[in-house]
Amino acid sequence: MRHSDRRNNFLIKPLAAAALCCSIIFMASAAVVAQSGRRISKGARAATPLPPTTQPTPKAAPVVEPDKTELYVSLYERDALLNIPLYLHDTMMQAFIQRLAEASNFKITPGKEMHRSEAIKHAKEEKSAYVILLQLDVDTFDSRRSGNVDTTKLSIRYSIFAPVTGKSEAEGVVFQQDYRVGRGTIGIPSRTRGSGSLYSDYLLKETAREAANRVLASLRVTTPTPRPPGVTGN
């Protein structure tokens, strides 16, 4: 009898374990079915992911150019009594402005011919521009008296008038004879027969450039590196 009870207990235990496993599997399956059949409420919907925000490309800072000194450059009205060729006035003006432009910190405006009183009046009407008056003259009394001008003996007078006030900032004269050179210098026209015009033009350009240098110094502007002697330029 005892042997039979033991045998029945031995068989019941595996059956109970199997039944327990089946119950656990059934319960898990029911839970999965319940979860899959449950509707997701609108409020529980997953939010649509926003597109990634792109950082704006920083703009390069604008290049600020330094303020340029304004210059109004005029010629003194020509003296009809002096027989100075008209083209020499243009040569002087071009060489003078070219030298100023090399400093690169000027805004240059060529002006009309005028007398000193007109230049002062114009300067008073300017808000920021200096008025520069250039006069091509002769540096010998005989040339002025006779009217026979030696184009290698000219001079350039310059005057600077301040804006608003018309006050004279600086005045001076540069003599063409200071740039006379001997024959044979490289790059410098020699004064030979038939080449007098080239020689006088060279002297006048050098005189005009020196006048421009003095204007730069008067305005306290750093002058550019001078070009080598003998280079006549355009």
Side-chain angles (χ1 to χ4, degrees):
M1 187 67 179
R2 289 180 180 177
H3 180 72
S4 178
D5 292 338
R6 289 177 180 177
R7 184 177 180 181
N8 290 334
N9 291 337
F10 180 78
L11 292 173
I12 291 171
K13 289 181 179 179
L15 291 173
L20 179 61
C21 290
C22 290
S23 299
I24 293 173
I25 293 172
F26 176 77
M27 293 174 64
S29 299
V32 171
V33 172
Q35 290 292 336
S36 63
R38 183 181 301 171
R39 292 182 179 181
I40 300 175
S41 61
K42 294 182 179 180
R45 289 181 180 178
T48 303
L50 297 175
T53 57
T54 57
Q55 296 294 333
T57 304
K59 295 182 179 180
V63 178
V64 180
E65 295 185 358
D67 293 336
K68 294 187 176 182
T69 303
E70 296 182 44
L71 301 178
Y72 185 89
V73 184
S74 296
L75 288 173
Y76 195 90
E77 193 165 309
R78 296 179 178 93
D79 188 346
L81 297 178
L82 292 178
N83 190 25
I84 300 177
L86 295 179
Y87 82 91
L88 290 179
H89 292 83
D90 295 333
T91 299
M92 173 189 66
M93 187 76 156
Q94 291 174 4
F96 182 85
I97 291 179
Q98 182 184 35
R99 181 56 171 169
L100 293 181
E102 290 174 2
S104 73
N105 50 355
F106 284 123
K107 180 181 178 181
I108 306 169
T109 302
K112 63 179 182 178
E113 293 184 8
M114 58 180 64
H115 288 290
R116 181 183 177 90
S117 58
E118 294 175 302
I120 295 174
K121 180 181 178 182
H122 186 89
K124 291 180 178 180
E125 295 173 352
E126 289 284 352
K127 294 182 178 180
S128 57
Y130 289 86
V131 175
I132 300 176
L133 190 62
L134 299 178
Q135 181 181 8
L136 188 59
D137 202 355
V138 294
D139 59 6
T140 59
F141 178 75
D142 291 339
S143 295
R144 176 173 289 277
R145 184 178 61 179
S146 64
N148 296 321
V149 176
D150 184 349
T151 57
T152 65
K153 296 180 180 179
L154 300 175
S155 62
I156 298 176
R157 300 180 184 274
Y158 64 89
S159 302
I160 308 173
F161 303 103
V164 181
T165 64
K167 178 183 176 182
S168 176
E169 291 289 320
E171 295 185 6
V173 58
V174 184
F175 296 98
Q176 197 176 46
Q177 291 189 23
D178 295 341
Y179 299 94
R180 290 193 171 198
V181 293
R183 294 185 181 183
T185 305
I186 297 176
I188 300 177
S190 59
R191 191 179 185 182
T192 58
R193 185 175 181 179
S195 65
S197 178
L198 291 176
Y199 181 76
S200 60
D201 286 357
Y202 167 79
L203 293 180
L204 182 58
K205 289 179 180 179
E206 291 300 303
T207 308
R209 291 177 65 86
E210 176 57 26
N213 286 338
R214 296 186 187 185
V215 168
L216 290 170
S218 298
L219 296 176
R220 296 176 177 82
V221 175
T222 303
T223 58
T225 303
R227 56 179 171 72
V231 180
T232 60
N234 296 327

